[in-house]
């Protein structure tokens, strides 16, 4: 079984995030990718965990 892509998971919950949180995550991920990071790196998983804290169940 393949591990879910953290970027895809963030996109799935993006509409449930406050705009300020989404903008922050977008900037952080954009900077990460611009420096040569990958969308599957642990840093992106960290951003997903951060995002999930703002999603109402």
């Amino acid at each position: 079984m393949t591990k879910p892509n953290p970027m895809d998971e963030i996109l799935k919950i993006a509409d449930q995030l406050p705009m300020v949180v989404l903008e922050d995550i977008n900037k952080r991920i954009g900077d990460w990718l611009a420096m040569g990071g990958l969308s599957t790196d642990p840093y992106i998983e960290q951003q997903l965990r951060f995002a999930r804290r703002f999603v109402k169940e």
Side-chain angles (χ1 to χ4, degrees):
M1 182 173 171
T2 56
K3 188 175 176 184
N5 182 314
M7 289 285 287
D8 291 341
E9 296 299 308
I10 291 170
L11 289 173
K12 285 180 187 175
I13 63 172
D15 65 331
Q16 301 174 56
L17 299 173
M19 187 55 68
V20 67
V21 172
L22 188 57
E23 289 171 346
D24 182 58
I25 292 170
N26 186 47
K27 171 129 178 45
R28 290 172 185 272
I29 289 175
D31 290 348
W32 181 259
L33 297 175
M35 293 186 328
L38 302 175
S39 64
T40 54
D41 286 342
Y43 182 73
I44 307 300
E45 292 176 12
Q46 177 184 333
Q47 295 305 310
L48 174 57
R49 287 191 300 275
F50 175 73
R52 284 182 173 152
R53 288 191 265 164
F54 293 91
V55 175
K56 295 181 178 160
E57 297 293 323

